[in-house]
Each structure stands twice: as structure tokens, then as C-alpha cells.
Amino acid sequence: MSAAEDLIRHYDALQSRWKVSDRIADYARLVVPTGNSVEAFHRWFHLKEAYSHQLLARLLKDADWVPDGQFAILDPFSGSGTTLVSALSISEEYAVIPRVLGIERNPFLREVGHAKAAGMQQGPTLARRVRAALPGLELLYQKAQETAWSTPSATLNNRKFFTAEHLQSLLALRIAIEQIDNGAVVSLLRVCLAASVEAAGKLRRDGRALRHQPRWEPKHPKAVFDANVTRVLEDLDSRAESMSSRGAINVLGDARAAHLHAGRRKFDWIVFSPPYPNNIDYTEVYKTEAWALGLWDDPAAMRAQRLSTIRSHPSVRFPELYTYVQCPYADEVGALLDPLLNAIPDDRYRRGRLQIVKGYADDMLRVFDACRRVINANGRLAYVVGNSVHGTKEGSFVIAADLVLARIAELTGWKVEEIRVARKLSRRSFDSEHLRESVVILRPA
């Protein structure tokens, strides 16, 4: 039997352990950002890798779970804040107290989620503060335009991507915003600035890369920024007066240490979508926004950010350190991974692919262990993950992340309640029943 055939049998045996529901109605549109680009607060920055703002409510409905008294929820991969904002909305619907914690490793995305949550909670109060700051911001911007600002970003400095005028406008906006003496207003305006970057240049976020679009007609950053501010103010004005300002917080941190960020808090639900093991480096994909906001001082800081992320990509050479080899269930993890490791072709990409499989499993084992420590006895965990195909022609193989993570979760004290297959993924010249995107539901064992 070939290694590829052995891997398929391995996946089939894993899958037979659990309830698998295929193509549940509506889930295909919920694992992608359906409606987020037009929904208040969610629309402040479009994260194409996000799931829909409607997913959380659907998970509660399918579990026949109704918040009572308070709603405690954790998202250890909070991204642009979809879970945080959705949880705040649900808490209002059921008139319960929100206890929402988001954790995000990417400093730019963490700032987006933080601003959205602050906007939801402060509403018209924050709108008034923003409006009060705008005249001063305009003067600060005009003054900043008189100084030549620089950035260490090679991408922003590339005139194929950004004209000198547009780069100067972006940097002047950042300098002006940083001089405002109001943290919540600053955070919100920085998100408006970040949401202006793509439209101001000739780079488009496209899957795992930024692609040059020479035929694009970039818009002036200040015009896009002003439109973004108007949109944000509309959403803030649509709110009732302020909620508790501490109902939801979004911290810069590591999902692998979620229990440390949570402290003594326990959660009813843990909902997240981790990076998929599909070679996408989110530090790279959102680097122009991060550079525009001044989040890194030099390329070394950007590299350090990459090295701090989940090992789902080979963009940097991560240390060959795997904690699972010393854990009590090292043999079980080895049995889980060996058929996948054996299916990796012996070519120039082998080392990077071995690193993805072992590093991703190792990191996610730590995530599930940390989450298990902070779940309520009757709580649930739901994760959204897509499986990915690697290699070419005869050397192609699938990393069935939904199944691999489900088994890892079992080893760390979870019970797999159900695997809900949301949609089949298509790739040219490759087909497999395991090439799909799923929502997996766990309960404490």
C-alpha cells in the first residue's frame, strides 16, 4: 500500500470515531464572512478569512443553548473581532451580562478587534468624542503634510505600489492621529486609517499573498479615510447609550497560553477559527496595514512577529522544538501524525511541510489544553477549520485539519460531539472527500 493510500485509510479510520454531518444547510455561508462587509461594526475592516457574524447565533441555536444571567465566551484567535462583536449583540438580545475575552497574536488585527468592541460598548458617547476630535485632527494632518515622513517598509516605499503622495498622506494621517489625547478615539481612527491602505495603493490581498494590480486606480488616502470615519460614526450613532465598557476586552497575546490570559475566568463557549495549515502567513498578508500604523520599527520586528505565530506556514524557519514528544500522550500523537508525515513527498519542500505538520499539531495541542482549563463543566468549544492540499500531481496529499485537531482535542480532555462539514473545497486536478471546511463541536470529557 502506498503512503498516499495509507493516509486516506488513516483519515477514514479517524472519521469513523465521530458523528459527521455532511453539508448542513446554511453552514457553507457561515464559515465565510457573509454579510460582514455591510453589517454595522463588522464592516469597519474586511477580513476575508473571517467567518460570518451570524455563525455564533447559529451555533447557540443548534445547541439549544440560551444565555442566562451572563454570557461568558472566549475567542483565542480573535482576528478582527467577529466573535467579540457578535457576542455583544447576543448579550443585548437576551439582556444578559457579557463576559467576552478575545486573544490575538497579530498586533494589527488585535487593534481592529479592540476598536470594534469599544465602539459597540461606547456607541454615541464615543461618536461625540470622535466628532470633537476631528477639527483638531484636520489641522494636525495639514501640519504633518509639511514634514517629509519615512518608513522602514520596503513595500510602502515601492513606487510601483504606492505613489510618494499617497505614502506621505498615509504617514501624515498616522502622525496626526497619534497626537490626539484620547485612547479610544485614537484606536478607532487608526482602524479607519488601516482600512484606507489597500485602496490607496496597487496591492491586493489575495489568498496567501499580496498581488500587484498595475491597472488599479488608487484612491487618495485622505478621501478614503474620511469616508471610513463617516461610516464608523453612522454605526456608533445607531447604538443605544453605552454598555459596560468592560463587557468585552481584546488582548494582545498567545492562544497557546489562553488559560493565563483568562486568569480565574471560566467560559460557557469557546469559539475560534485558528490559522489553517495552508501556508498563509497573516503577518505577510496584513503587513502593509501594520507598517502604515507604525507597529514595527524594522524588518527584524516583523520577523519576530512571524516567529511568534502558530506554525501553519513555512515563511520562516521555526525552531525544531516540539513539546508533544515529552507529553504523556506522545505515542498517541505520533500515531496520529506518522501516516501524514510519511505521505509528504521527498522533494525540496519536504522540510517545510514536515515543519507545518509537526509544528501545527504541537501548537494546537497547547491551544486545546489551555482552553480545556477554562471551560465550564457544561460548556462547549466550536472551531472552524479548512483542510488543505499540498504538493503537485502524484505527490499531492491533504492535511485533514478537522480530523487531526479533533483527535488532538480528545487527547487533551475533550469529547468530540460532532463534525459539521460546511462545504467541499475544490482544487484543480485534485479531489478528495477530506478536502473541505468544517465546524467541529467539542465538550469537556
Side-chain angles (χ1 to χ4, degrees):
M1 181 183 299
S2 69
E5 292 171 329
D6 183 55
L7 180 60
I8 293 172
R9 289 172 63 90
H10 179 55
Y11 286 154
D12 289 343
L14 277 176
Q15 184 164 281
S16 68
R17 301 168 63 98
W18 309 301
K19 176 184 178 182
V20 178
S21 301
D22 191 23
R23 306 288 185 89
I24 299 177
D26 294 339
Y27 267 73
R29 67 178 185 81
L30 296 178
V31 297
V32 294
T34 302
N36 291 10
S37 61
V38 296
E39 184 71 12
F41 297 94
H42 295 279
R43 64 179 180 163
W44 290 5
F45 186 86
H46 181 63
L47 191 77
K48 64 181 295 185
E49 298 84 11
Y51 46 71
S52 173
H53 69 97
Q54 302 168 351
L55 175 64
L56 182 57
R58 179 59 183 271
L59 291 172
L60 301 188
K61 179 182 177 181
D62 287 351
D64 195 24
W65 194 89
V66 178
D68 182 19
Q70 70 173 28
F71 183 27
I73 183 167
L74 165 68
D75 184 345
F77 295 94
S78 62
S80 63
T82 301
T83 302
L84 277 68
V85 175
S86 299
L88 288 171
S89 295
I90 290 170
S91 297
E92 287 186 320
E93 179 183 351
Y94 288 95
V96 297
I97 299 171
R99 306 289 187 201
V100 188
L101 174 62
I103 303 169
E104 176 54 46
R105 178 69 273 175
N106 186 298
F108 161 63
L109 295 178
R110 179 264 164 189
E111 189 160 2
V112 174
H114 172 77
K116 289 179 179 179
M120 277 285 289
Q121 294 170 109
Q122 298 182 39
T125 300
L126 183 53
R128 288 191 289 270
R129 293 173 180 167
V130 172
R131 287 190 171 94
L134 289 179
L137 176 67
E138 184 65 31
L139 294 175
L140 290 168
Y141 170 70
Q142 295 301 332
K143 185 177 181 180
Q145 285 277 72
E146 299 171 3
T147 302
W149 302 101
S150 63
T151 171
S153 169
T155 304
L156 291 178
N157 286 323
N158 191 324
R159 293 295 167 262
K160 291 194 307 181
F161 305 149
F162 294 91
T163 66
E165 178 187 359
H166 284 193
L167 175 59
Q168 174 68 5
S169 179
L170 288 170
L171 297 179
L173 276 168
R174 188 189 86 207
I175 298 302
I177 292 168
E178 289 174 348
Q179 296 178 69
I180 296 174
D181 187 21
N182 187 308
V185 172
V186 168
S187 182
L188 187 150
L189 293 176
R190 280 168 60 84
V191 171
C192 290
L193 171 58
S196 308
V197 173
E198 187 175 59
K202 292 190 174 185
L203 283 177
R204 176 171 62 90
R205 294 186 294 273
D206 183 21
R208 70 186 63 176
L210 293 171
R211 301 195 186 279
H212 181 213
Q213 302 294 319
R215 296 184 180 181
W216 264 18
E217 291 294 335
K219 299 177 182 178
H220 195 280
K222 184 59 164 58
V224 182
F225 173 81
D226 289 343
N228 291 338
V229 172
T230 298
R231 184 179 303 112
V232 164
L233 288 171
E234 289 174 356
D235 293 349
L236 294 175
D237 288 336
S238 71
R239 300 282 295 154
E241 282 300 331
S242 304
M243 302 170 60
S244 166
S245 62
R246 299 294 291 176
I249 59 173
N250 198 34
V251 302
L252 181 65
D254 194 328
R256 292 163 290 196
H259 58 299
L260 300 180
H261 296 292
R264 296 182 179 181
R265 283 170 287 188
K266 297 283 186 177
F267 299 94
D268 304 310
W269 279 84
I270 301 174
V271 180
F272 62 84
S273 181
Y276 301 173
N278 57 5
N279 293 334
I280 295 180
D281 174 5
Y282 292 99
T283 306
E284 170 71 18
V285 173
Y286 293 98
K287 68 179 180 181
T288 52
E289 289 81 8
W291 283 118
L293 294 183
L295 291 171
W296 301 314
D297 294 328
D298 52 43
M302 179 178 169
R303 176 178 172 79
Q305 166 64 30
R306 277 180 160 149
L307 287 169
S308 72
T309 60
I310 296 293
R311 288 172 280 181
S312 62
H313 59 86
S315 298
V316 290
R317 187 68 67 195
F318 290 96
E320 298 283 342
L321 299 173
Y322 305 105
T323 59
Y324 73 78
V325 299
Q326 297 177 336
C327 73
Y329 30 81
D331 291 343
E332 289 89 342
V333 176
L336 170 67
L337 298 183
D338 281 348
L340 180 51
L341 296 172
N342 292 336
I344 298 175
D346 188 13
D347 56 23
R348 64 192 180 105
Y349 300 109
R350 178 173 173 79
R351 183 177 179 184
R353 289 168 177 159
L354 288 171
Q355 171 186 283
I356 289 177
V357 171
K358 294 194 289 185
Y360 188 75
D362 193 56
D363 287 342
M364 292 306 299
L365 186 149
R366 293 172 60 192
V367 171
F368 284 114
D369 179 66
C371 289
R372 180 63 183 84
R373 302 185 191 197
V374 297
I375 193 72
N376 281 327
N378 296 319
R380 287 181 174 84
L381 183 153
Y383 66 85
V384 181
V385 72
N387 301 344
S388 52
V389 61
H390 297 254
T392 57
K393 298 181 180 178
E394 294 80 8
S396 297
F397 65 97
V398 172
I399 299 180
D402 57 353
L403 301 175
V404 172
L405 294 185
R407 178 57 181 148
I408 286 174
E410 279 190 334
L411 295 173
T412 56
W414 294 93
K415 177 182 179 181
V416 180
E417 184 174 278
E418 185 178 6
I419 296 176
R420 300 171 183 168
V421 179
R423 60 177 184 148
K424 181 80 177 292
L425 302 177
S426 60
R427 296 293 182 270
R428 287 181 297 180
S429 70
F430 188 89
D431 184 52
S432 167
E433 81 164 281
H434 296 298
L435 189 55
R436 64 200 186 193
E437 194 165 15
S438 304
V439 179
V440 182
I441 311 297
L442 309 176
R443 301 187 74 160

